[in-house]
Amino acid sequence: MSRVSKPYEIVERALELSAADGCVVIADEHSSANLRWAGNALTTNGVTRGRTLTVVATVDGAEGVASGVVSRSAVTADDLEPLVRAAEAAARGAGPAEDAQPLVAGAPSAPDFTDAPAETSSGVFADFAPALGEAFARARAGGRELYGFANHELTSTYLGTSTGIRLRHDQPNGTLELNAKSPDRARSAWAGRATRDFKDVDPIALDAELGKRLGWAERRVELPAGRYETLLPPTAVADLLIYQFWSSSARDAAEGRTVFSKAGGGTRVGETLSELPLTLRSDPHEPGLESAPFVIAHASGDDASVFDNGLPLTATDWIRDGKLAHLITTRHSAGLTGLPVTPAAGNLVLDGGGERSLEEMAAATERGLLLTCLWYIREVDPATLLLTGLTRDGVYLVENGEVVGEVNNFRFNESPVDLLSRAAEAGRSEKTLPREWGDYFTRAAMPALRVPDFNMSSVSQGI
């Protein structure tokens, strides 16, 4: 066997080796670079490389088409045939695949399919690192300590199928998390940013923002649990609506298992979810939030199907002008539910029509809470999508348009779907980093939301 090492060669060779009725091969070439710091000083940095290969084999049978999926990392040329045979064995040992569809065909081959994978390096921090050093100096002079990390990943995905699909997508993904603490560690503030290349991230401005928040925390106010007018910043809105997005499988809704199930059967598509003109949407070509313009499915589930690999993705409104417009479907679940084929995409945008920033919304607040972020979010009840979680790194009391102090943290109990129905104001949408889901989903743009009666169900002792 000839030696192969380039990603497209790996894909082509795996397809040549396949003896199944159908085959899908996905090669993911990963590279990452990172910086970490503590106490106003860099601690570690590093660069990594890796490869993951996924083979999907489909086998026609008297009762239907079966599929087998096997993924392995660090795959070499010698590993290819055993990997392909393992996928075929898995398919032959499985029953008919419920989501079976003809493999996608007809897409034109990507012109860069045979090009080398894109790679990141420490050079991505060329402008960011010196600015971070200046932020350290400013923090030190201001009596605060900075902790955090910057991570940049670049994944080149090569998708090939036995039906002639040859597609390729390069996905950059950068995250910055910055935490400022008082020297006695009694006060803490957090800021995060998502970026494609670290050219639009200003650590000096973030340090200034965190310094202001630590100043707010010099006065402490204890508040009991209860319902408060609350300003949710874009990061918190993103965390809640990403979970809602993940829970919007059309099949689950049609089978009566989710908040999007209609009483008596069917789904709530077409129902009004918010009186505000909110539009929740995904678009693989959204400027600054670009994601794969075709389906990349490494496994099948209620909201994804390996048979759909290579299916083109287009802009989709999930909520349009306050009404539920679409739920996530595969070709299979679209057939079951009678809904259009609308697979999930890799970004999420909420447009609310508002123009005010979070700061301007706070200035217009008579009395309420201003949150920094949410974390440890867990589902309580799928029927209502009731979630629970904690506030973290700063909850501030606003009175007559001014922040007057920091209050204790809370545990909350809220449903994002219910929140949308009660939201009184949506601010200006901006790119944001979801703190809770930043390891899984980073391409989001959200407005701040004003909720008149956010449910702080109990007091939390965390900082």
XYZ file of all heavy atoms in Angstrom, residues 31 84 170 194 263 279 305 327 373 391:
65
model
N -5.321 21.908 15.337
C -4.134 22.550 15.902
C -4.597 23.593 16.900
O -5.683 24.172 16.756
C -3.268 23.189 14.809
O -3.963 24.220 14.132
N -11.515 1.062 8.641
C -12.613 0.873 7.686
C -13.319 -0.447 7.941
O -14.560 -0.518 7.940
C -12.082 0.951 6.247
C -13.176 0.550 5.246
C -11.564 2.348 5.933
N -12.496 25.101 7.044
C -11.525 25.506 8.068
C -12.255 26.336 9.116
O -12.860 27.364 8.787
C -10.398 26.343 7.452
C -9.577 25.563 6.447
O -9.497 24.334 6.588
O -9.026 26.185 5.519
N -15.064 35.866 22.643
C -14.845 34.887 21.585
C -14.273 35.624 20.385
O -14.655 36.764 20.102
C -16.158 34.202 21.208
N -49.758 20.782 23.083
C -50.759 20.000 23.813
C -51.704 19.332 22.818
O -52.226 19.980 21.904
C -51.539 20.905 24.752
N -35.751 37.712 17.026
C -35.454 36.717 16.002
C -34.195 35.962 16.403
O -33.133 36.560 16.572
C -35.257 37.373 14.620
O -36.495 37.956 14.191
C -34.822 36.344 13.595
N -27.799 13.395 11.763
C -27.772 12.092 11.094
C -26.522 11.984 10.248
O -26.206 12.895 9.465
C -29.013 11.926 10.202
O -28.896 10.762 9.395
N -37.821 24.157 14.006
C -37.130 23.298 14.955
C -36.054 22.533 14.192
O -36.087 22.440 12.961
C -38.106 22.331 15.626
C -39.170 22.987 16.515
C -40.235 21.963 16.906
C -38.537 23.615 17.767
N -22.412 36.742 34.874
C -22.509 35.505 34.091
C -23.205 34.430 34.905
O -23.442 34.591 36.109
C -21.115 35.026 33.647
S -19.968 34.751 35.014
N -25.291 32.194 39.788
C -24.607 33.399 39.336
C -23.156 33.316 39.804
O -22.826 32.568 40.724
C -25.257 34.662 39.901
O -25.117 34.660 41.329
C -26.734 34.723 39.538
